Amino acid sequence: MIGQESVCCPGLAAAPLDEDHAADLAKVFKALGDPVRLRLMSMIASRGEGGEVCVCELTPAFDLSQPTISHHLKLLRQAGLIDCERRGTWVYYWALPDVLEGIAAFLTTSRTAGVGA
Amino acid sequence: MIGQESVCCPGLAAAPLDEDHAADLAKVFKALGDPVRLRLMSMIASRGEGGEVCVCELTPAFDLSQPTISHHLKLLRQAGLIDCERRGTWVYYWALPDVLEGIAAFLTTSRTAGVGA
DNA sequence: CTCTTGTTTCGACATTCCTCTATGTTGACG
DNA sequence: CGTCAACATAGAGGAATGTCGAAACAAGAG
């Protein structure tokens, strides 16, 4: 799992990243660095706050095998971007906005803080 | 190079990404999905608006060979995140904030637009 | 011109990643 | 209990990536 404080705190341009933070951040960016995972993330996040998506809705949207989609979902989950729950036969995924917001703050902080005036 | 309009427009959670946008965005995330490149990007962006960094300052910060650093800088440049200029013996790099800001907007738009509330 | 220094490019190799098929697990339904 | 459907895991093959040393290139000094 990805530590939350390491995602939100320093700011890209606030100061040079140390190796630990860089490695931590890179995992999230790497998780988003694949077109399939980006589309999966978008499809899940499009459901909004309490929204969920069934895997049976995600899989047919791609020209990929079901295990491949399952694999990408696992990587997104390991990055802390989504979570899932089994309900009966089906498994539902939803977005965890914290890490995503942390990344966005990390990027925007880069151009506003630290450098200042 | 990465098209600017495809980075800034849709919003991650505004609607499911189509393949073209996803492929375009994924290149940028992939460029940031390496600890070395993330640290390089941070070191360069830390210089602020008109700031520059010489390669000779970047290389000794890593336990990597100079060609490896040059390779990573090339990838960041191909992603549209930085640019460089040779001045005399040395080459100076600076950050191009547009793509970075576009990514940040793309991520934040995800949790504010479309969903409402 | 030659030598030295800084940087990029070129091949090569080890590792990681994406995808597949095959198999396992979980729960619903007779 | 047996079977079927949805999803996850395991293992393998091929492509992409990170790294290096060697070589090429650029620019200044002597």
Side-chain angles (χ1 to χ4, degrees), chain B residues 54 66-67 70 89-90 93:
Chain B
C54 177
Q66 193 178 38
S70 185
T89 305
W90 294 278
Y93 280 79

Side-chain angles (χ1 to χ4, degrees), chain A:
Chain A
M1 289 303 161
I2 307 296
Q4 235 71 1
E5 74 282 347
S6 56
V7 172
C8 67
C9 279
L12 176 66
L17 262 68
D18 55 287
E19 299 182 33
D20 291 343
H21 282 162
D24 221 356
L25 266 306
K27 289 177 185 172
V28 181
F29 283 114
K30 190 176 294 183
L32 295 173
D34 181 276
V36 175
R37 287 195 292 272
L38 213 46
R39 287 181 62 198
L40 283 169
M41 190 66 214
S42 177
M43 294 172 73
I44 297 172
S46 300
R47 289 298 208 274
E49 187 74 29
E52 298 172 330
V53 192
C54 177
V55 175
C56 60
E57 287 183 73
L58 297 173
T59 303
F62 298 85
D63 284 336
L64 294 171
S65 69
Q66 174 265 325
T68 298
I69 300 299
S70 185
H71 168 69
H72 284 303
L73 289 171
K74 183 180 183 179
L75 293 186
L76 287 174
R77 189 154 42 91
Q78 288 176 337
L81 292 165
I82 60 176
D83 201 359
C84 66
E85 184 190 35
R86 176 174 210 123
R87 229 157 30 240
T89 306
W90 294 276
V91 176
Y92 296 89
Y93 280 81
W94 59 86
L96 299 176
D98 284 7
V99 175
L100 227 50
E101 289 173 1
I103 292 285
F106 167 77
L107 293 177
T108 51
T109 300
S110 63
R111 303 252 9 102
T112 57
V115 185

